[in-house]
Amino acid sequence: MAEDNYSTTTEFILIGFSDHPGLKVPLFLIFFAIYLITMVGNLGLVALIYMERHLHTPMYIFLGNLALMDAFCSCAVTPKTLENLFSEDRRISLYECMAQFYFLCLAETTDCYLLSAMAYDRYVAICSPLQYHTIMSKQLCIQMTIGAYIFGNLHPLLEVGLLFRLTFCGPNIINHFFCDLLPLHALSCADPYINELMLFILAGANLILTIAIVLISYFYILFTIFKMKSKGGRGKALSTCASHFFSVSIFYGSLFFVYTRPNSISEVDKDIPIAIFYTLIIPLLNPFIYSLRNKEVINVIKRLMKKRKWCNGLKQVSP
């Protein structure tokens, strides 16, 4: 008889930042600006790499796919967040919730494998420069990129599939600005132990594997850099690696803290500032960290700008 009194919940309410009504306008303007800059920066970088044939190298292919996934991540979260800031009805259906998590998890997991591929690429370029073109062949580059997307898809597919074993019959308020697994686990009427265990295993395995590749690659990179006799070459290599490693550390650190720490399901509301970092801030910063500090990309941009000015000058001169 108790089961008959249950009503299955098929909709949730994302309260997000509704506890701070005075901050709605500033938050909307800030998030909207971040969204525009993120989309322009990342999609512009993808277009630049696609159009410039001499940028069709492993490093820039990985970078282009990373930029694409960053834009994908921003699209999965920001539009709904902006809508909810001024909407009285912050409802989202269970299937929309699953779809939002799927696309976000796809982008984040694929990012992990692309970052590890980029670290390995830099390891080969710095530690074995004479064998770089032999080791980092076009075939290997394609295989690594496809592998990143395959593993990026497997994780969210398994997690979303496991959500179907849960039932939601109680409160439907999610104290977050997007649909994440942990808030859904907290609202489940069924025991989410298996879901939590699989999340811990899958997220931990993806993070540990990719972090290990990044750390080992950068260990050998730093070892090689400190053996360099040229101070100029050493400083240039350290500057590039430091900025890359800083971005990687923030990204992995925030994901590791949210998804693999004990008692994470009871501290969901405390994860919002950290979630802002890996869903909004990191996609915003990556184009600047990985491209605007890269002389080759800057030279391409300058050349395109000069070409555009020259074309505009011809138009003005011509009758």
Side-chain angles (χ1 to χ4, degrees):
M1 289 297 293
E3 290 182 2
D4 294 337
N5 294 328
Y6 287 159
S7 59
T8 304
T9 300
T10 57
E11 288 184 333
F12 300 96
I13 299 174
L14 294 168
I15 62 174
F17 305 99
S18 61
D19 292 340
H20 309 283
L23 295 177
K24 284 185 178 181
V25 174
L27 285 174
F28 180 88
L29 294 175
I30 291 170
F31 288 166
F32 185 65
I34 289 174
Y35 181 61
L36 284 181
I37 297 171
T38 300
M39 297 305 292
V40 171
N42 284 291
L43 294 182
L45 183 59
V46 172
L48 188 70
I49 293 172
Y50 177 77
M51 291 187 299
E52 292 295 319
R53 293 185 62 84
H54 73 280
L55 293 181
H56 294 179
T57 60
M59 182 179 73
Y60 291 107
I61 290 173
F62 295 142
L63 180 57
N65 283 279
L66 182 71
L68 184 63
M69 286 296 100
D70 283 340
F72 207 61
C73 174
S74 187
C75 285
V77 173
T78 312
K80 188 65 178 177
T81 303
L82 294 174
E83 178 190 343
N84 286 343
L85 282 171
F86 289 102
S87 174
E88 294 296 329
D89 184 11
R90 302 184 184 91
R91 295 180 185 178
I92 184 169
S93 72
L94 176 60
Y95 294 109
E96 287 176 325
C97 218
M98 290 180 176
Q100 188 181 49
F101 170 76
Y102 170 80
F103 290 119
L104 175 63
C105 187
L106 165 64
E108 299 291 358
T109 310
T110 305
D111 270 1
C112 289
Y113 285 95
L114 288 171
L115 287 170
S116 64
M118 291 171 67
Y120 178 74
D121 175 78
R122 292 300 83 201
Y123 156 73
V124 177
I126 294 174
C127 300
S128 304
L130 298 179
Q131 297 177 308
Y132 177 78
H133 294 289
T134 303
I135 298 173
M136 292 302 298
S137 62
K138 184 178 179 180
Q139 183 180 3
L140 179 62
C141 178
I142 293 172
Q143 289 173 347
M144 292 174 76
T145 304
I146 293 173
Y149 282 102
I150 290 173
F151 284 106
N153 267 285
L154 282 176
H155 183 196
L157 279 174
L158 290 171
E159 295 291 357
V160 170
L162 285 170
L163 282 177
F164 284 101
R165 65 175 294 273
L166 301 180
T167 54
F168 303 93
C169 52
N172 66 339
I173 295 176
I174 297 178
N175 188 16
H176 217 305
F177 62 97
F178 66 90
C179 276
D180 203 0
L181 276 186
L182 296 176
L184 289 175
H185 291 173
L187 296 177
S188 173
C189 298
D191 185 4
Y193 173 75
I194 294 177
N195 296 65
E196 292 176 45
L197 180 63
M198 288 304 297
L199 174 62
F200 182 82
I201 293 172
L202 292 173
N206 285 321
L207 289 172
I208 290 171
L209 174 61
T210 54
I211 287 173
I213 295 172
V214 170
L215 290 177
I216 293 171
S217 298
Y218 276 104
F219 172 79
Y220 281 105
I221 287 170
L222 290 174
F223 183 75
T224 304
I225 287 172
F226 286 120
K227 286 173 62 180
M228 292 180 178
K229 295 181 180 180
S230 170
K231 290 185 178 180
R234 188 188 307 164
K236 180 181 176 182
L238 275 174
S239 175
T240 303
C241 289
S243 61
H244 291 189
F245 194 71
F246 175 72
S247 174
V248 169
S249 300
I250 296 175
F251 177 73
Y252 278 115
S254 57
L255 288 179
F256 204 90
F257 180 81
V258 170
Y259 292 110
T260 61
R261 77 183 193 279
N263 302 322
S264 55
I265 199 168
S266 61
E267 301 178 357
V268 169
D269 56 329
K270 298 179 182 178
D271 294 337
I272 292 179
I274 302 168
I276 290 174
F277 262 101
Y278 69 81
T279 58
L280 301 178
I281 304 301
I282 296 296
L284 170 70
L285 294 178
N286 276 344
F288 300 97
I289 293 174
Y290 289 104
S291 60
L292 294 185
R293 289 178 61 91
N294 190 304
K295 288 185 178 180
E296 199 167 356
V297 174
I298 292 173
N299 290 335
V300 171
I301 294 173
K302 286 180 179 178
R303 190 171 72 249
L304 290 174
M305 291 177 66
K306 287 180 181 179
K307 186 177 180 181
R308 185 175 180 181
K309 287 180 181 178
W310 183 75
C311 291
N312 289 337
L314 283 179
K315 289 179 181 179
Q316 291 176 0
V317 171
S318 60

